[in-house]
Amino acid sequence: MRPLLDLTKEYGLVLDGGGARGAYQIGAWKALKEAGVKICAVAGTSVGALNGALICMDDMEKAERIWSEMQFSHVMSVDDDWMRQLFQGEQKIGDVLSELGRIFRDGGVDVAPLRKLIHETVDEEKIRKCGKEFCIVTFSLTDMKELELSISDIPEGRLGDFLLASAYLLGFKNEPMEDGKRYIDGGIFNNVPADILVDKGYADLIEIRIYGPGREPRVRLPEDGEMYRIGPRVKLGSIIEFDRERSRNNMKIGYYDAKRMLYGLEGIIYYIEQEHLDAWYERRMRDMAEMEKRALAIVLKLPVSSTDKELYMGMLEAAAKFLRIPKYKIYTVDDLRGLVHERYERLLAIAPGMQELPGFMDIFIKIERDRSMNLTGRNFLTLKDFTPEEITYLLDLAADVKEKKKQGIPVDHWRGKNVALIFEKDSTRTRCSFEVAAHDMGMGTTYLGPTGSQMGKKESIEDTARVLGRMYDGIEYRGFGQEIVEELARYAGVPVWNGLTNEYHPTQMLADMLTIRENFGRLKGLKLVYMGDARYNMGNSLMIACSKLGLHFVACTTEAYFPNAELVAQCEEYAKESGATITLTSDVKEGTKNADVIYTDVWVSMGEPDEVWEKRIKELAPYKVTEDVMANADKDAIFLHCLPAFHDLKTKIGEEMGERFGIKDMEVTDEVFESEQSKVFDEAENRMHTIKAVMMATLGMEQQP
């Protein structure tokens, strides 16, 4: 982690008073020191003055030892056991009142041990030669005057006395100092002496707050100045609870609270390094209704207007606390949620019938289980091989990496890996998507075009797969029969990805589903109508994707172009689980009515002979996507096309077909293609993001640091 502070600058350190809570400041100083923060001046009040002296001495070991061994009797002439019992509520009220009466009659608590500790600990000469400005605050009762003293203002040999003078709490026996004057704790009049350093010209300040009682003057920093604050979010105990266990814990809290400030750590209870964008949290909370989110916020004691990120982080921390995961460690979000899962499963194994889990725990576990996927080493040949949860995971991952690309956040954690791209059919979007995605991931690529390898000619698919599998970490195939890509996958020994076959086009499906979700915020329950030839890769794959993810699929075409009956039956089984429906119809009006998505593809697929053009144009002309079709759909409907599209005559083939058949477009009119409802170029862009997600997931997300 890199500190947020500019380590080339020098900073002034401000330490407030707070008695026994002072151990916190030493813990914070330790973190600052480890980070390389340069302290050029220190101003302190009360215990802050005492800690400031230790900091100027630059003796971390001594400072930690003093506070680690701290006891009541090191500060006051009291019995340690009696005081511990007092703070533990074990003393009788009568005994307490009696002791208070005695102390009052004696003029207050005797702090001779503190005087001794200061004089034995503080190396005045070392402080004066340390090169740091050192300032303390006290108040002269004799002169009725606040004193803001630099080390140069204090007579030599008297630093220990003035440190004690700065720490004279009300209730302490106030005896005259060597100069015959009486002093009192400076925090009563200035408990946060940042103004002293500002007046001396220091612009960049760090406050380490322990929130003892006293006045806090307003401070106006210079225009080019910056104030950084380190402060506890938990109670540090009483200002007179000088207990070694409490002090050790407070040092630990101070250490991690300083790291929270230094490195921009998030979390209220825990210390969490944030590695996800807001969109990542929004996707995880997407299925929760607003009413449920408000109820969850109340349970977590968060504002009802809390963001998805705040709600998720609140659940994560509450779950970690419930499962007693240690607080004092820096976690990533993924680290902490992994531990929550581990502890939860362990608890479940011990007590399988447990019922009394907090409500937020159930919500959190369900969210995470829905998103917990491991696709490492899997082939990506058809969506039939993937569960709805796995497909949704890939969509979520694609959305995440898309956002990161927009934000300029690199995902190049796969450096050193290489992929082979086999293209037996030409391509624009698929090839470019795989190449750019791979390069974004830090990988190398080798393109093998229609004549770029011996596969199927001089070398079998099996042998080619075994050769490439020893050289590459993944293989993409775009070509003809599905059996080819399946044979590659059988023998390669590395993940194989289907960039298109005659039967299936799974990477296109992910891009389509992501585009639909971006426009509607959901998938389940939407109606998608595919118009045209539904017998091949696009019709097949859309029917599979919709039936798995809960969209209502309609193939709107002539019966001769309906998808294979066996595949329809298979998808109907998927639909039973997801709530989807499968409809095959030749009626354009009925089929497209209230549709959310109108989808089409070229009428002649790659590799088909030219003679089919006339037949397709004649038979599929009624299923052209026109403005009337879009008007019959829902008012918010969108148009999708996997491209390339024949919507005008600006291509060689388009011009040729126009001349032969007297047409100006084919499967979609130019008016629809260029309309605001058309999302075809969003869809094309999403090819890259979804392909990147597939490669990331199957090559192994553990590649990320």
Side-chain angles (χ1 to χ4, degrees):
M1 294 183 296
R2 297 175 63 181
L4 301 180
L5 273 66
D6 185 349
L7 298 183
T8 65
K9 290 185 176 181
E10 292 187 333
Y11 295 86
L13 191 63
V14 182
L15 307 171
D16 62 342
R21 302 170 189 170
Y24 179 93
Q25 294 173 336
I26 298 302
W29 171 48
K30 181 178 182 179
L32 294 174
K33 188 175 174 68
E34 287 178 352
V37 177
K38 300 172 186 174
I39 306 298
C40 61
V42 182
T45 300
S46 191
V47 75
L50 302 178
N51 282 332
L54 293 171
I55 291 169
C56 288
M57 289 163 57
D58 199 29
D59 193 336
M60 176 62 67
E61 186 178 341
K62 178 180 282 189
E64 287 187 307
R65 184 174 65 252
I66 289 169
W67 282 104
S68 295
E69 297 173 357
M70 185 59 68
Q71 297 188 71
F72 296 96
S73 59
H74 290 180
V75 179
M76 304 170 285
S77 296
V78 295
D79 181 80
D80 285 316
D81 289 337
W82 193 93
M83 292 296 292
R84 282 193 209 90
Q85 290 170 13
L86 174 66
F87 278 94
Q88 292 167 6
E90 298 173 1
Q91 288 289 354
K92 296 178 180 178
I93 187 67
D95 293 340
V96 174
L97 292 173
S98 175
E99 183 64 17
L100 289 174
R102 183 190 67 77
I103 291 171
F104 180 76
R105 289 191 298 273
D106 289 346
V109 178
D110 184 4
V111 291
L114 177 59
R115 181 182 291 107
K116 180 182 179 188
L117 178 64
I118 291 172
H119 284 283
E120 288 179 350
T121 301
V122 173
D123 188 333
E124 182 174 335
E125 183 180 359
K126 194 172 184 179
I127 294 170
R128 290 186 182 274
K129 293 180 178 180
C130 71
K132 295 182 178 66
E133 184 91 47
F134 181 42
C135 307
I136 66 173
V137 181
T138 187
F139 188 87
S140 173
L141 290 173
T142 305
D143 301 323
M144 295 302 293
K145 180 181 177 182
E146 180 185 351
L147 300 176
E148 297 178 351
L149 304 171
S150 292
I151 186 71
S152 57
D153 300 323
I154 298 171
E156 290 196 20
R158 296 287 311 284
L159 177 59
D161 291 340
F162 280 95
L163 289 173
L164 182 62
S166 181
Y168 258 130
L169 293 171
L170 289 173
F172 284 2
K173 185 183 289 187
N174 199 302
E175 297 176 338
M177 302 292 283
E178 187 177 313
D179 57 7
K181 297 180 179 181
R182 297 178 188 271
Y183 298 86
I184 196 168
D185 193 303
I188 295 174
F189 298 94
N190 187 353
N191 198 42
V192 191
D195 56 325
I196 300 175
L197 296 184
V198 172
D199 291 344
K200 290 182 177 292
Y202 297 99
D204 298 299
L205 305 180
I206 301 171
E207 287 183 355
I208 306 178
R209 300 298 311 276
I210 51 178
Y211 300 106
R215 178 173 169 265
E216 299 182 17
R218 287 189 177 182
V219 178
R220 179 174 292 179
L221 292 175
E223 287 188 7
D224 60 342
E226 195 76 49
M227 175 70 80
Y228 301 91
R229 182 172 287 115
I230 301 166
R233 299 181 181 182
V234 297
K235 293 180 180 179
L236 300 178
S238 165
I239 62 172
I240 60 168
E241 191 178 355
F242 292 97
D243 175 78
R244 66 182 62 172
E245 292 303 320
R246 171 73 76 173
S247 293
R248 290 168 184 171
N249 195 54
N250 285 348
M251 270 198 292
K252 188 186 298 180
I253 297 170
Y255 178 79
Y256 281 98
D257 281 354
K259 284 183 175 287
R260 189 195 303 276
M261 184 278 290
L262 280 166
Y263 303 108
L265 302 179
E266 298 188 14
I268 304 295
I269 304 169
Y270 290 82
Y271 302 88
I272 302 172
E273 183 183 359
Q274 187 56 254
E275 76 257 71
H276 296 301
L277 299 168
D278 288 355
W280 187 87
Y281 297 96
E282 290 164 5
R283 288 190 294 275
R284 290 181 123 64
M285 303 293 289
R286 185 179 54 238
D287 294 335
M288 285 189 72
E290 289 303 315
M291 186 66 74
E292 293 175 306
K293 290 179 182 180
R294 287 194 288 271
L296 177 61
I298 293 169
V299 170
L300 296 171
K301 299 180 180 178
L302 295 172
V304 292
S305 58
S306 294
T307 64
D308 286 344
K309 177 182 176 180
E310 289 166 341
L311 289 172
Y312 183 91
M313 292 292 288
M315 280 195 295
L316 175 60
E317 289 197 88
K321 183 180 179 182
F322 177 80
L323 295 169
R324 299 183 179 180
I325 293 171
K327 296 178 185 177
Y328 300 112
K329 181 182 175 182
I330 297 174
Y331 299 95
T332 65
V333 173
D334 290 344
D335 288 339
L336 193 56
R337 66 194 183 96
L339 284 171
V340 166
H341 268 284
E342 186 182 312
R343 292 280 181 102
Y344 174 81
E345 295 296 337
R346 196 184 304 164
L347 186 62
L348 202 64
I350 297 171
M354 61 179 180
Q355 300 291 326
E356 298 302 319
L357 284 177
F360 65 79
M361 201 67 183
D362 291 331
I363 296 170
F364 182 79
I365 293 298
K366 182 180 184 305
I367 288 173
E368 287 305 301
R369 277 184 173 165
D370 289 347
R371 302 287 186 285
S372 179
M373 299 292 162
N374 183 5
L375 305 183
T376 304
R378 293 271 298 274
N379 298 307
F380 191 74
L381 308 181
T382 168
L383 289 187
K384 291 196 293 183
D385 300 334
F386 291 81
T387 67
E389 293 77 18
E390 289 169 336
I391 298 168
T392 302
Y393 166 73
L394 290 171
L395 295 177
D396 289 345
L397 181 56
D400 190 52
V401 296
K402 180 177 181 176
E403 184 65 21
K404 284 178 175 169
K405 189 167 180 74
K406 303 295 183 189
Q407 297 284 338
I409 300 172
V411 291
D412 56 347
H413 313 305
W414 287 261
R415 290 181 295 274
K417 291 187 178 292
N418 294 279
V419 295
L421 308 177
I422 302 173
F423 281 81
E424 293 191 314
K425 290 182 179 179
D426 291 332
S427 167
T428 299
R429 278 150 299 280
T430 303
R431 176 180 175 179
C432 295
S433 293
F434 267 103
E435 288 193 339
V436 175
H439 297 162
D440 278 358
M441 293 167 64
M443 298 194 297
T445 61
T446 301
Y447 174 77
L448 300 170
T451 60
S453 78
Q454 299 293 345
M455 188 177 76
K457 297 186 285 288
K458 292 183 178 181
E459 189 168 47
S460 68
I461 296 168
E462 176 184 340
D463 290 353
T464 302
R466 289 185 290 185
V467 169
L468 296 181
R470 290 173 178 246
M471 296 182 181
Y472 295 92
D473 300 283
I475 301 168
E476 179 272 349
Y477 172 81
R478 180 182 179 93
F480 297 95
Q482 180 73 8
E483 69 278 2
I484 299 173
V485 75
E486 289 180 355
E487 190 164 2
L488 277 172
R490 192 174 300 116
Y491 293 103
V494 297
V496 173
W497 310 299
N498 182 359
L500 176 143
T501 61
N502 294 341
E503 293 85 357
Y504 303 114
H505 199 356
T507 59
Q508 181 67 52
M509 293 305 101
L510 295 182
D512 296 341
M513 296 300 124
L514 181 62
T515 308
I516 295 168
R517 199 173 75 176
E518 288 174 341
N519 279 272
F520 295 98
R522 62 188 176 93
L523 293 172
K524 200 174 183 68
L526 297 176
K527 178 180 178 180
L528 183 148
V529 181
Y530 179 77
M531 304 183 70
D533 190 346
R535 300 171 299 170
Y536 298 113
N537 45 44
M538 287 306 301
N540 291 345
S541 296
L542 282 166
M543 184 168 60
I544 296 167
C546 289
S547 63
K548 290 245 179 185
L549 297 175
L551 291 86
H552 303 300
F553 175 79
V554 179
C556 188
T557 185
T558 66
E559 289 189 21
Y561 294 97
F562 282 172
N564 175 274
E566 185 179 345
L567 182 61
V568 172
Q570 195 173 3
C571 289
E572 285 175 339
E573 291 301 311
Y574 300 150
K576 290 177 183 178
E577 296 293 324
S578 70
T581 56
I582 308 292
T583 303
L584 310 179
T585 181
S586 302
D587 189 327
V588 174
K589 196 78 173 174
E590 187 60 34
T592 61
K593 185 178 180 181
N594 298 325
D596 299 290
V597 183
I598 301 293
Y599 203 120
T600 193
D601 189 13
V602 292
W603 288 343
V604 178
S605 298
M606 285 184 290
E608 290 191 284
D610 287 348
E611 52 263 30
V612 305
W613 280 106
E614 184 174 3
K615 179 177 170 54
R616 294 284 170 79
I617 291 171
K618 181 180 178 180
E619 293 178 342
L620 293 176
Y623 303 97
K624 178 191 298 187
V625 181
T626 63
E627 289 182 308
D628 287 342
V629 168
M630 296 306 297
N632 191 52
D634 187 83
K635 63 181 178 62
D636 295 320
I638 63 173
F639 170 73
L640 296 181
H641 193 307
C642 59
L643 302 183
F646 292 142
H647 60 98
D648 55 27
L649 303 179
K650 296 178 181 179
T651 64
K652 184 178 180 180
I653 295 178
E655 185 180 8
E656 182 184 331
M657 295 301 112
E659 291 176 358
R660 283 177 61 184
F661 304 109
I663 57 177
K664 63 178 181 178
D665 50 44
M666 277 188 261
E667 72 273 10
V668 59
T669 64
D670 195 54
E671 291 78 14
V672 171
F673 188 88
E674 297 292 351
S675 71
E676 289 187 3
Q677 289 176 289
S678 176
K679 305 300 177 183
V680 296
F681 296 110
D682 293 342
E683 181 186 9
E685 179 195 338
N686 284 338
R687 290 294 310 284
M688 180 187 63
H689 305 302
T690 49
I691 282 171
K692 189 184 293 182
V694 169
M695 290 196 293
M696 291 170 87
T698 56
L699 290 176
M701 297 298 291
E702 71 273 6
Q703 290 292 321
Q704 300 188 53

